[in-house]
Amino acid sequence: MNKNILADTVSRLFTDSKGLLAMDESNPNCNKRFAKLGILQSEEVRRDWRALIVNTPDLSECISGAILYDETIRQKKKDGTPIIKAIIDEGIIPGIKVDKGAKLMAGHQGEKVTEGLDGLRERLKEYFRMGARFAKWRAVIAIGDGIPSRACIEANANILALYASLCQEAGLVPIVEPEVLMGGTHDLQVCFTDTEQVLRTVLSHLYVQVVMLEGVIVKPNMVITGLSCPKHESIDEVADATIQCLRQSVPAAIGGIAFLSGGQSGELASAHLNAMHVRYESKLPWPLTFSFARAIQQPAMAIWDGKDENIKMAQQALFHRAKCDKAARQGLYYAAIEDPVFLSN
Ligand code: 13P
C-alpha cells in the first residue's frame, strides 16, 4: 500500500472547498432517469449526457473528483477524446464505481447485500492504469418493519471493509458508502439510531481489516426523516442530528466525509450542507463535503431533454448546482443564490 498516494488523493479531493460529482449511475439506473424525462435510452445517449457534464465550462472550480461508471470510463466523446482524458485535462480526478449492485439478501426479506468482490483486485489494477485514483462502493440499508437486521448491517459492513482494503492495496482511495435509504415513514430519531449503528459497524470492520483510515472517504446519508413521514424537521435540526451522529460514530482519523443526496432536492441538500458548516465549522474533526448525483444532475438533465440545442443551458444549470454546493461547504450558501438575477452578476 502506498500511503502517500492515498493521502495525496484525499487531500486533492477535499481541496479549496470543492466536492465530488457522482455520475456513475449504472446503465439501468441512468436509463430509468432518462425514461422519466422521456429521453431516449441508449449507450450513445448516455455517452452524450456524460460528455455534456464533462464539457461544462469551469466545472473544476467546484468539482475535485468525478465518479464514473465502467461504461463511461471506456467511452470516447464524439470528437474521439476519451472521456477520462477530458476529465483529467479539466483538472478533475477520475473515480470509478466498482460494486456490481445491491442484490436481494437470502433469508432477509426487504434487505439487500452489495455484490462485486469477485475479480475486484484485477479490475482495480486496470482502473488504476486507466487513470482512476479513487473508487466507490455503495451498500443500501432500508428502514422498515423490523429492519435493518443485524445480519444485513454486518454483511454489508464486512464487504465494504474488504473492498476498502483491496482499493488501498491498488493505490485507490475507497469511498465507503453505506446508504441508509430515505424511503419510509420513520422519523428523524429512527434514522439517527440506524445510521449510527450502521456507521459504527462499518468502522469496526475497517479496523478489523486494518484499513488506513486517513486514506478512506466515508459517504453517508444525512440524518433526515423518511420521505413519507408527515413531520419534517428544520434545516438546522437535520444539520444538528447529522453532525451529532457522525461525531459519535466516525473517528477523527478518517480522511473525510462526502455526503450523498439520497433524493433530496438540490436546494435542500445545499441548505443542509451549508447549515452544518455554519453551525459546526470549527468543531468538525474531518473535512465535510458533497458527493451528490441527483442533487447536482437532475435539473440539468431535465433542461437538456436529450437535445443538442439545450446543452448550453443544461451546463449552466449543472454548474449552478455545483457552485451552490461549493458555497455550502464554505457556509456561504443562502436561498438568494438560487435567484437568476443574483446568478447573472
Ligand atoms: P445521490 O446523490 O443521487 O443520492 O447519489 C449519490 C450516489 O453516489 C449514490 O451511490
Side-chain angles (χ1 to χ4, degrees), residues 21-25 33 67 97 99 136-139 177 179 219 259-264 291-296 298:
L21 169 59
M23 47 183 286
D24 62 331
E25 296 82 3
R33 287 182 196 163
I67 314 172
K97 170 189 172 75
D99 68 73
K136 184 191 102 173
W137 184 291
R138 174 176 179 250
E177 180 180 8
E179 175 174 4
K219 178 160 171 168
F259 287 107
L260 58 94
S261 59
Q264 301 176 65
S291 176
F292 299 155
R294 283 165 288 179
I296 294 181
Q298 224 44 44

Side-chain angles (χ1 to χ4, degrees), residues 301-342:
M301 191 186 281
I303 291 169
W304 176 52
D305 197 24
K307 300 188 177 82
D308 280 357
E309 61 266 31
N310 298 334
I311 288 177
K312 203 165 161 227
M313 269 172 56
Q315 287 174 329
Q316 281 167 355
L318 189 95
F319 183 72
H320 172 58
R321 286 262 48 92
K323 201 169 151 195
C324 287
D325 293 328
K326 178 174 176 170
R329 224 199 121 175
Q330 297 164 296
L332 296 174
Y333 171 84
Y334 52 103
I337 293 185
E338 302 291 353
D339 185 339
V341 177
F342 176 93

Side-chain angles (χ1 to χ4, degrees), residues 145-216:
D145 201 9
I147 61 172
S149 67
R150 193 71 214 149
C152 174
I153 296 174
E154 287 284 346
N156 278 297
N158 182 29
I159 293 169
L160 276 167
L162 293 170
Y163 139 83
S165 184
L166 282 165
C167 283
Q168 292 193 336
E169 177 189 271
L172 292 151
V173 168
I175 295 197
V176 170
E177 180 180 8
E179 175 174 4
V180 176
L181 297 169
M182 274 172 72
T185 54
H186 55 273
D187 64 15
L188 187 89
Q189 189 52 47
V190 170
C191 181
F192 186 108
T193 311
D194 287 341
T195 303
E196 183 185 38
Q197 196 190 36
V198 166
L199 289 172
R200 284 185 175 178
T201 310
V202 169
L203 263 298
S204 74
H205 280 270
L206 293 176
Y207 278 121
V208 172
Q209 297 302 330
V210 205
V211 174
M212 174 197 163
L213 297 186
E214 295 82 352
V216 169

Side-chain angles (χ1 to χ4, degrees), residues 222-293:
M222 296 181 190
V223 174
I224 205 162
T225 43
L227 282 173
S228 312
C229 178
K231 182 171 181 274
H232 284 281
E233 269 70 16
S234 70
I235 286 165
D236 286 351
E237 283 168 324
V238 169
D240 290 353
T242 303
I243 295 299
Q244 195 192 344
C245 180
L246 289 171
R247 283 205 303 210
Q248 285 173 199
S249 45
V250 181
I254 280 288
I257 290 179
F259 287 107
L260 58 94
S261 59
Q264 301 176 65
S265 70
E267 289 86 348
L268 198 56
S270 299
H272 285 146
L273 184 64
N274 186 67
M276 291 179 216
H277 284 95
V278 168
R279 295 163 77 77
Y280 294 95
E281 184 66 70
S282 60
K283 298 183 199 126
L284 298 176
W286 1 248
L288 196 64
T289 194
F290 57 92
S291 176
F292 299 155

Side-chain angles (χ1 to χ4, degrees), residues 39 44-57 59 77-79 296-297 299-320:
I39 298 170
E44 200 184 5
V45 181
R46 288 192 296 274
R47 190 257 339 257
D48 291 346
W49 171 242
R50 267 71 185 247
L52 178 157
I53 295 176
V54 169
N55 288 340
T56 298
L59 193 61
K77 298 198 298 184
K78 270 187 189 147
D79 67 6
I296 294 181
Q297 291 186 47
M301 191 186 281
I303 291 169
W304 176 52
D305 197 24
K307 300 188 177 82
D308 280 357
E309 61 266 31
N310 298 334
I311 288 177
K312 203 165 161 227
M313 269 172 56
Q315 287 174 329
Q316 281 167 355
L318 189 95
F319 183 72
H320 172 58

Side-chain angles (χ1 to χ4, degrees), residues 21-83:
L21 169 59
M23 47 183 286
D24 62 331
E25 296 82 3
S26 63
N27 291 346
N29 256 350
C30 187
N31 287 346
K32 239 188 266 165
R33 287 182 196 163
F34 283 175
K36 255 192 197 161
L37 296 167
I39 298 170
L40 197 77
Q41 300 118 60
S42 70
E43 180 177 349
E44 200 184 5
V45 181
R46 288 192 296 274
R47 190 257 339 257
D48 291 346
W49 171 242
R50 267 71 185 247
L52 178 157
I53 295 176
V54 169
N55 288 340
T56 298
D58 303 322
L59 193 61
S60 61
E61 277 179 21
C62 311
I63 300 296
S64 55
I67 314 172
L68 308 178
Y69 187 58
D70 183 74
E71 178 182 83
T72 317
I73 204 169
R74 300 173 194 283
Q75 271 174 330
K76 292 184 171 135
K77 298 198 298 184
K78 270 187 189 147
D79 67 6
T81 316
I83 288 187

